[in-house]
Structures are given as structure tokens and as C-alpha cells.
Amino acid sequence: MNYIWAGLILLSFATAVFTGNLDATTAAAFDGTRAAIEMCISLLGIMALWTGIMKIGEKSGLIEKFAKLLSPLTRILFPKLKKNSAAMNAIVMNMMANMLGMSNAATPLGLKAMTELDKLNNGSKVASNEMVMFVVINTASIQLIPSTLIALRLNAGSANPGEIIVPIWIASLATLIVGVTCVKIFQRIKRST
């Protein structure tokens, strides 16, 4: 992959030299770098805020209350996991982070959940049903507050950065339903073979 990116960069600079646009290409590269750094710094603030809120929720017991609220759903989705297991707690924290639209800040929680699920899978090279279900739920999660996307739209100068909330609810709910349904169907097919 690195060779592809390096090739594309070299090709673009070679094209800029031959077309006489080297100054414009260099200026665009520096402007793009500056914009990327500014965006990273603004997203870092959002990540720090949500990570802190999650830590407060964990220490205050809010995560446990949220886990109890989600327990009817998590029992259906993860029937083999114990209610208060480390894997279930990590899954609930990841689900909560995704619902709050924390995106990159939810990644460490997802990795922790997958690590706990791998421990229960005894290091098998084949993913368990719970691991597959978690990946689908993590990928197609419902975002109640898409804070990262709203921040990106705000930084890009959107007049109404929050107007995407309802379409995101509809799209994320639809993808979650389709994803979970497909996993359940494939789990039944696997059991019957």
C-alpha cells in the first residue's frame, strides 16, 4: 500500500512539473497539510471530551446502569456471554461510545471488547459468533449524537451542521437491522450444517 501512495505522489508531482503547475501543486500540498493539522487538533478536543465523559461514566456506575438498560438486547445478541463478564462490559461501553458518536474515541473500547471476546474464544483462529456479531454492531452502530461528523461539518463552515442527525438515525438503524439479521441467518445456517 505504501508503494501505491508513493507512486501516486510521485506521479502527481511529475505531472505538475510537465504541465507547469509545480508552484500551485506545492502550495496546495502545504495548504492541505495545514488544514489537516487544524482538523486533527479540533477532533482531538472532541475525543478528549468524550473519553473523559466515558471515564466519568465508568467510575460513577453509569455504565453499569446503561448495561442493565441494554441487557434485554445484549442477551439476544450475545446469548453465550455472562451478564457481568468483562467482555459484556467492554461491549456495552463500546456500544455507548458509538451511540454518542465518539467514533475514534470508541476504537480503544472496541479493541478491549474484542480482546475480551478472544480470551473467551480460547485464541482460536476462527471468530466466534459473538465476535462476528460484535464486529457487525460496532461497524453499523446507531449514532444518536454524531458529534464527530457535526464537528467536521462545523469546521468546514456548514450553516447548519446538525441537519444530518435524522438521516444518520435512519441510515444507521437500517444498516444495523440488516447487519444483525444477516449474522443471525448465517449463524442458523452454520448450526444446521
Side-chain angles (χ1 to χ4, degrees), residues 178-192:
V178 169
V180 169
T181 302
C182 288
V183 170
K184 288 294 187 183
I185 288 170
F186 284 119
Q187 286 175 354
R188 288 202 177 158
I189 290 171
K190 182 181 171 186
R191 270 184 273 175
S192 64

Side-chain angles (χ1 to χ4, degrees), residues 86-168:
M88 186 61 80
N89 288 339
I91 288 169
V92 168
M93 286 180 63
N94 179 265
M95 289 172 72
M96 187 171 167
N98 280 322
M99 283 183 193
L100 294 173
M102 295 178 6
S103 59
N104 290 340
T107 301
L109 301 170
L111 292 173
K112 181 179 178 183
M114 193 55 81
T115 301
E116 294 297 330
L117 288 170
D118 190 43
K119 287 178 189 174
L120 296 174
N121 199 23
N122 298 321
S124 173
K125 300 237 184 243
V126 177
S128 67
N129 288 342
E130 288 74 21
M131 293 170 92
V132 173
M133 181 63 78
F134 175 69
V135 168
V136 168
I137 289 171
N138 188 39
T139 304
S141 65
I142 296 175
Q143 289 194 8
L144 299 177
I145 307 167
S147 55
T148 303
L149 195 52
I150 290 171
L152 287 172
R153 288 175 51 87
L154 188 66
N155 283 341
S158 174
N160 188 2
E163 69 186 355
I164 56 162
I165 291 176
V166 174
I168 285 178

Side-chain angles (χ1 to χ4, degrees), residues 12-32:
S12 65
F13 275 106
T15 303
V17 168
F18 289 118
T19 59
N21 294 323
L22 186 59
D23 291 338
T25 303
T26 304
F30 283 115
D31 286 343

